[in-house]
Amino acid sequence: MASRDVVLGIFFLSQTVVGALGNSSLLLHFLVLDFTRCRVRHTDLILKHLIVANMLSLLCKGVPQSVAAFNLKFYLGDFECKLLFYLHRVGRGVSIVTTCFLSVFQAITISPIESWWAELKVKAPRYIGSSMYLSWVLNLLINIIILMYITGKRNNTTMTNLKDFGYCFSVCHNTATESLHATLLTFPDAVCVGLMLWANSSVVLILYRHKQRMQPIHKTSFPRSSPESRATKTILLLVSTFVFIYTLSCILQVCLSVVHNPNRFLVNMAAIVSGCFPVVSPFLLISRDSSLSRSSFVWIHNRKTP
């Protein structure tokens, strides 16, 4: 059992460190771009909010989970537990809303001029900032409900109606209340995943139609693989990764909300899956846009060379 806890602690710690480094490097890249003013894209603001949300979700779950897995003797009070769980839920909610908004914005951007989205192509960039801040406000309000359920381990070890998360407790209520709580927390996620699937399906369809129109040109200019084909594969990779991780995470979160006495395996699996997308997303974004991985180095090289 001790060796299993050590392995689990190392995994949680590695997941947290890798995710923090990936998101930090990506955020640094955008800060360099802002400082040099070498590129301005509307999606950059969306990605900045996504990175901040990922960092918040990852650190508020990964750090205490790592400490708890190593069986270090530390006890959090009610305020610390409520704050950690609340910020994790807010970061997770903003992450999924931001990813959904990014998908919809991309679908609007690449839509043909003659489509019914043409009018939105002009208006959408003006509402990016306000939409991002609105998503933060809504998630701050929606996740207030989590404060009713979370309590600290300090002075609560003798109570029986508690779910043990390793470093904090969740107060158990009746089945109807637990089901309502799970529905309120997962319904926004389900709506966002549905919108994202619809938006990215539209993107893939638009790219496919464009590829069919440009096929004679690609036969002579791009004998191996067309840009549309590579873009379609990247979008499918992003969507399938996001949907798979968050669908599995939602299922595990519902199980944790409904089951009165979840075992350690279920608790640990929910924590691991919850941290997967914040860890993977910065590397998917870097691979998706090759300029993300080289523009900062190009700027540094240009500063050194006269």
Side-chain angles (χ1 to χ4, degrees):
M1 182 64 69
S3 60
R4 185 186 303 174
D5 292 339
V6 171
V7 172
L8 190 62
I10 293 175
F11 182 86
F12 278 125
L13 185 61
S14 302
Q15 187 184 49
T16 304
V17 171
V18 171
L21 290 176
N23 284 282
S24 299
S25 61
L26 196 57
L27 182 61
L28 178 62
H29 161 78
F30 285 118
L31 293 178
V32 170
L33 290 182
D34 289 341
F35 179 73
T36 58
R37 301 180 184 275
C38 61
R39 186 192 70 183
V40 178
R41 293 196 314 191
H42 297 300
T43 55
D44 288 353
L45 180 59
I46 306 176
L47 293 176
K48 291 175 189 175
H49 284 269
L50 176 61
I51 294 169
V52 174
N54 284 341
M55 288 284 288
L56 188 64
S57 174
L58 187 65
L59 294 178
C60 289
K61 174 67 75 171
V63 173
Q65 202 76 47
S66 301
V67 176
F70 282 117
N71 288 323
L72 299 179
K73 300 299 181 182
F74 82 112
Y75 298 97
L76 298 176
D78 286 349
F79 176 77
E80 293 87 353
C81 281
K82 291 179 186 296
L83 182 64
L84 283 175
F85 270 78
Y86 178 67
L87 292 179
H88 166 71
R89 289 293 311 185
V90 170
R92 182 181 182 278
V94 173
S95 177
I96 188 172
V97 171
T98 305
T99 308
C100 174
F101 189 79
L102 179 64
S103 301
V104 174
F105 183 80
Q106 288 175 330
I108 295 174
T109 301
I110 72 168
S111 61
I113 300 177
E114 65 274 8
S115 68
W116 63 276
W117 288 30
E119 187 177 353
L120 291 176
K121 295 179 69 171
V122 180
K123 296 182 179 180
R126 293 182 295 183
Y127 298 102
I128 290 179
S130 57
S131 299
M132 291 297 96
Y133 291 115
L134 180 61
S135 69
W136 282 98
V137 173
L138 291 177
N139 276 280
L140 286 170
L141 295 176
I142 292 173
N143 288 284
I144 289 178
I145 190 174
I146 203 72
L147 301 177
M148 301 168 52
Y149 290 84
I150 302 302
T151 182
K153 300 195 74 170
R154 189 183 304 158
N155 300 326
N156 287 312
T157 55
T158 59
M159 298 179 64
T160 58
N161 61 333
L162 297 174
K163 298 178 184 179
D164 189 1
F165 287 99
Y167 56 96
C168 291
F169 285 124
S170 175
V171 180
C172 296
H173 296 275
N174 57 67
T175 304
T177 304
E178 296 285 351
S179 301
L180 179 61
H181 172 227
T183 302
L184 289 175
L185 291 181
T186 57
F187 179 74
D189 292 358
V191 172
C192 288
V193 169
L195 286 174
M196 191 175 59
L197 285 173
W198 169 73
N200 282 277
S201 299
S202 300
V203 170
V204 172
L205 182 60
I206 292 171
L207 291 175
Y208 176 77
R209 289 175 177 174
H210 180 69
K211 177 184 177 181
Q212 294 298 108
R213 290 196 298 267
M214 302 297 292
Q215 195 168 10
I217 300 176
H218 288 156
K219 286 182 179 179
T220 57
S221 302
F222 303 97
R224 292 185 178 180
S225 178
S226 67
E228 290 78 17
S229 177
R230 293 192 296 270
T232 303
K233 292 178 181 178
T234 303
I235 292 172
L236 288 175
L237 176 62
L238 284 170
V239 175
S240 59
T241 302
F242 181 90
V243 172
F244 173 76
I245 292 176
Y246 267 102
T247 300
L248 183 58
S249 179
C250 287
I251 293 174
L252 292 174
Q253 291 297 327
V254 171
C255 292
L256 285 178
S257 299
V258 175
V259 177
H260 285 281
N261 189 23
N263 55 36
R264 297 302 305 167
F265 176 78
L266 181 59
V267 173
N268 291 329
M269 279 300 300
I272 291 173
V273 174
S274 178
C276 283
F277 187 74
V279 173
V280 174
S281 61
F283 300 102
L284 289 178
L285 291 170
I286 290 173
S287 64
R288 177 187 172 196
D289 188 352
S290 59
S291 66
L292 290 176
S293 58
R294 64 172 182 266
S295 60
S296 298
F297 298 101
V298 171
W299 173 74
I300 294 173
H301 176 74
N302 292 337
R303 289 291 297 254
K304 290 183 178 180
T305 57

